[in-house]
Coordinates of all heavy atoms in Angstrom, one line a residue:
M1 N -33.2 -4.2 23.9 CA -32.4 -5.3 24.6 C -31.7 -4.5 25.8 O -31.1 -3.4 25.7 CB -31.3 -5.7 23.6 CG -30.4 -7.0 24.2 SD -29.3 -7.5 23.0 CE -30.2 -8.2 21.8
M6 N -27.0 -7.8 26.5 CA -25.8 -7.6 25.6 C -24.4 -8.1 26.2 O -23.6 -8.6 25.6 CB -25.7 -6.1 25.3 CG -26.6 -5.7 24.1 SD -26.3 -4.1 23.6 CE -27.2 -3.3 24.9
Q9 N -24.5 -11.7 25.7 CA -24.2 -11.9 24.3 C -22.7 -11.9 24.0 O -22.1 -12.7 23.2 CB -24.9 -11.0 23.4 CG -24.6 -11.2 21.8 CD -25.8 -10.8 21.1 OE1 -26.8 -10.3 21.4 NE2 -25.7 -11.3 19.9
E18 N -19.4 -13.1 11.2 CA -20.7 -13.1 11.5 C -21.5 -11.7 11.5 O -22.6 -11.5 11.0 CB -21.0 -13.6 13.0 CG -22.3 -13.8 13.4 CD -22.5 -14.5 14.9 OE1 -21.4 -15.0 15.3 OE2 -23.6 -14.3 15.4
Y19 N -20.7 -10.7 11.9 CA -21.2 -9.3 11.9 C -20.3 -8.5 10.9 O -19.1 -8.7 10.8 CB -21.1 -8.6 13.1 CG -22.1 -9.2 14.2 CD1 -21.7 -10.2 15.0 CD2 -23.5 -8.7 14.2 CE1 -22.6 -10.7 16.0 CE2 -24.4 -9.3 15.1 CZ -24.0 -10.2 16.0 OH -24.8 -10.7 16.8
R20 N -20.9 -7.6 10.2 CA -20.0 -6.8 9.2 C -19.5 -5.7 10.0 O -18.5 -5.1 9.6 CB -20.9 -6.3 8.1 CG -21.2 -7.4 7.1 CD -21.9 -6.9 5.8 NE -21.2 -5.9 5.2 CZ -21.5 -5.2 4.2 NH1 -22.9 -5.1 3.9 NH2 -20.8 -4.3 3.7
A21 N -20.1 -5.3 11.1 CA -19.5 -4.2 12.0 C -19.5 -4.8 13.4 O -20.4 -5.4 13.9 CB -20.4 -3.0 11.9
L22 N -18.3 -4.5 14.0 CA -18.1 -4.9 15.5 C -17.8 -3.7 16.4 O -16.8 -2.9 15.9 CB -17.0 -5.9 15.5 CG -17.3 -7.3 15.0 CD1 -15.8 -8.1 15.0 CD2 -18.2 -8.2 15.9
A23 N -18.5 -3.6 17.4 CA -18.0 -2.6 18.4 C -17.3 -3.3 19.5 O -17.6 -4.4 19.9 CB -19.2 -2.0 19.0
P28 N -21.1 -1.8 27.3 CA -21.9 -2.6 26.4 C -22.7 -1.7 25.6 O -23.0 -2.0 24.3 CB -22.7 -3.6 27.3 CG -22.1 -3.7 28.4 CD -21.3 -2.4 28.7
T29 N -23.2 -0.5 26.1 CA -24.0 0.4 25.3 C -23.3 1.1 24.1 O -23.8 1.7 23.3 CB -24.6 1.5 26.2 OG1 -23.4 2.1 26.9 CG2 -25.7 1.0 27.2
F30 N -22.0 0.8 24.2 CA -21.2 1.4 23.0 C -21.7 0.8 21.8 O -21.7 1.4 20.6 CB -19.7 1.1 23.2 CG -18.7 1.6 22.1 CD1 -18.7 2.9 21.9 CD2 -18.0 0.8 21.3 CE1 -18.0 3.5 20.8 CE2 -17.1 1.2 20.4 CZ -17.2 2.7 20.2
R31 N -22.1 -0.5 21.8 CA -22.7 -1.1 20.7 C -23.9 -0.3 19.9 O -24.0 -0.2 18.8 CB -23.2 -2.5 21.1 CG -23.9 -3.4 19.9 CD -24.4 -4.5 20.6 NE -24.9 -5.5 19.6 CZ -25.7 -6.6 19.9 NH1 -26.1 -6.8 21.2 NH2 -26.1 -7.4 19.0
Q32 N -24.7 0.2 20.9 CA -25.9 1.0 20.4 C -25.4 2.3 19.8 O -25.9 2.8 18.7 CB -26.8 1.4 21.6 CG -27.7 0.3 22.0 CD -28.1 0.3 23.4 OE1 -27.4 0.7 24.3 NE2 -29.4 -0.2 23.6
D33 N -24.3 2.9 20.3 CA -23.8 4.2 19.8 C -23.3 3.9 18.3 O -23.6 4.7 17.3 CB -22.6 4.6 20.5 CG -22.9 5.0 22.0 OD1 -24.1 5.2 22.2 OD2 -22.0 5.0 22.9
V34 N -22.6 2.7 18.2 CA -22.1 2.4 16.8 C -23.2 2.1 15.8 O -23.3 2.5 14.8 CB -21.2 1.2 17.0 CG1 -20.7 0.8 15.6 CG2 -19.9 1.6 17.7
A35 N -24.3 1.3 16.3 CA -25.4 1.0 15.5 C -26.1 2.3 15.1 O -26.4 2.4 14.0 CB -26.3 0.1 16.3
R36 N -26.3 3.2 16.0 CA -27.0 4.4 15.7 C -26.2 5.2 14.6 O -26.8 5.7 13.6 CB -27.1 5.3 17.0 CG -28.3 6.3 16.9 CD -28.6 7.0 18.2 NE -28.7 6.1 19.3 CZ -28.1 5.9 20.5 NH1 -27.0 6.7 20.6 NH2 -28.4 5.1 21.3
A37 N -24.9 5.3 14.8 CA -24.1 6.0 13.8 C -24.2 5.4 12.5 O -24.0 6.0 11.4 CB -22.7 6.1 14.3
L38 N -24.2 4.0 12.4 CA -24.3 3.5 11.1 C -25.8 3.4 10.5 O -26.0 2.9 9.4 CB -23.9 1.9 11.3 CG -22.4 1.8 11.6 CD1 -22.1 0.3 11.9 CD2 -21.7 2.1 10.2
G39 N -26.6 3.8 11.4 CA -28.1 3.8 10.9 C -28.6 2.4 10.9 O -29.5 2.0 10.0
A40 N -28.1 1.5 11.8 CA -28.3 0.1 11.7 C -29.0 -0.3 13.1 O -29.0 0.5 14.1 CB -27.2 -0.7 11.6
S41 N -29.7 -1.4 13.1 CA -30.3 -1.9 14.4 C -29.1 -2.4 15.3 O -28.1 -2.9 14.8 CB -31.3 -3.0 14.2 OG -30.6 -4.2 13.7
T42 N -29.4 -2.4 16.6 CA -28.4 -2.8 17.5 C -27.9 -4.2 17.2 O -26.8 -4.5 17.3 CB -28.9 -2.7 19.0 OG1 -29.4 -1.4 19.1 CG2 -28.0 -3.0 20.0
E43 N -28.9 -5.1 16.8 CA -28.6 -6.5 16.7 C -27.7 -6.7 15.4 O -27.1 -7.7 15.3 CB -29.9 -7.3 16.3 CG -30.8 -7.4 17.5 CD -31.5 -6.0 18.0 OE1 -31.9 -5.4 17.0 OE2 -31.5 -5.7 19.1
A44 N -27.7 -5.7 14.5 CA -26.8 -5.8 13.3 C -25.3 -5.6 13.6 O -24.5 -5.8 12.7 CB -27.4 -4.8 12.3
V45 N -25.1 -5.1 14.8 CA -23.6 -4.8 15.2 C -23.3 -5.8 16.3 O -24.0 -6.0 17.3 CB -23.5 -3.4 15.8 CG1 -22.2 -3.1 16.2 CG2 -24.0 -2.4 14.6
G46 N -22.1 -6.4 16.1 CA -21.6 -7.4 17.1 C -20.9 -6.5 18.2 O -20.5 -5.5 18.0
W47 N -20.8 -7.1 19.4 CA -20.2 -6.4 20.5 C -19.2 -7.4 21.2 O -19.5 -8.5 21.6 CB -21.1 -5.8 21.6 CG -20.3 -5.0 22.6 CD1 -19.8 -3.9 22.4 CD2 -20.1 -5.4 23.9 NE1 -19.2 -3.4 23.6 CE2 -19.3 -4.5 24.5 CE3 -20.4 -6.6 24.6 CZ2 -18.9 -4.5 25.9 CZ3 -20.0 -6.6 26.1 CH2 -19.2 -5.7 26.6
L131 N -17.5 6.5 10.4 CA -17.9 5.2 10.1 C -18.4 4.9 8.7 O -18.0 4.0 8.0 CB -19.0 4.8 11.1 CG -18.6 4.7 12.5 CD1 -19.7 4.0 13.4 CD2 -17.3 4.1 12.8
M135 N -16.5 2.4 6.2 CA -17.3 1.3 5.5 C -16.9 1.4 4.0 O -16.8 0.3 3.3 CB -18.8 1.5 5.6 CG -19.2 1.1 7.1 SD -19.0 -0.6 7.5 CE -20.5 -1.3 7.3

Side-chain angles (χ1 to χ4, degrees):
M1 189 182 287
M6 276 187 280
Q9 175 141 18
E18 187 176 341
Y19 291 96
R20 292 187 57 197
L22 285 174
T29 50
F30 182 60
R31 181 188 186 192
Q32 284 156 320
D33 300 338
V34 171
R36 202 173 304 121
L38 286 169
S41 67
T42 307
E43 294 70 39
V45 175
W47 184 74
L131 298 192
M135 291 292 262

